[in-house]
């Protein structure tokens, strides 16, 4: 859940928008299942690596999300390897 929350924060930092701008619980559940729109749909340019990290963090399937914050950091541009 912490990495999902990180994805929400990163999405808002990069786009200035909510990842799931729902007005009801049912709408939120539907949006969560389908996933958010790509950050690059709202702003350009977004580094493709950053976009991939954000969308992985926001995956509806927990097993598809990064396993750790270190994995997120390593996937970001400029990360020390």
């Amino acid at each position: 859940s912490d990495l999902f929350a990180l994805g929400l924060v990163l999405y808002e930092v990069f786009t200035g928008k909510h990842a799931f701008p729902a007005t009801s619980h049912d709408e939120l559940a539907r949006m969560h299942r389908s996933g958010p729109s790509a950050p690059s749909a709202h702003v350009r340019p977004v580094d493709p690596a950053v976009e991939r990290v954000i969308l992985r963090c926001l995956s509806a399937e927990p097993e598809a999300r990064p396993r750790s914050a270190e994995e997120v950091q390593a996937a970001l541009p400029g990360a020390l390897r």
Side-chain angles (χ1 to χ4, degrees), residues 28-65:
L28 178 60
R30 195 171 39 260
M31 288 178 157
H32 182 261
R33 282 190 302 276
S34 65
S37 59
S40 59
H42 301 288
V43 294
R44 294 196 194 278
V46 176
D47 186 303
V50 172
E51 186 165 80
R52 281 191 300 275
V53 168
I54 293 170
L55 294 176
R56 278 193 63 213
C57 287
L58 296 176
S59 174
E61 300 299 326
E63 60 274 359
R65 296 179 198 145

Side-chain angles (χ1 to χ4, degrees), residues 2-12 19 53-55 57-58:
D2 289 340
L3 294 176
F4 188 86
L6 175 61
L8 291 172
V9 170
L10 289 173
Y11 193 98
E12 288 191 35
V53 168
I54 293 170
L55 294 176
C57 287
L58 296 176

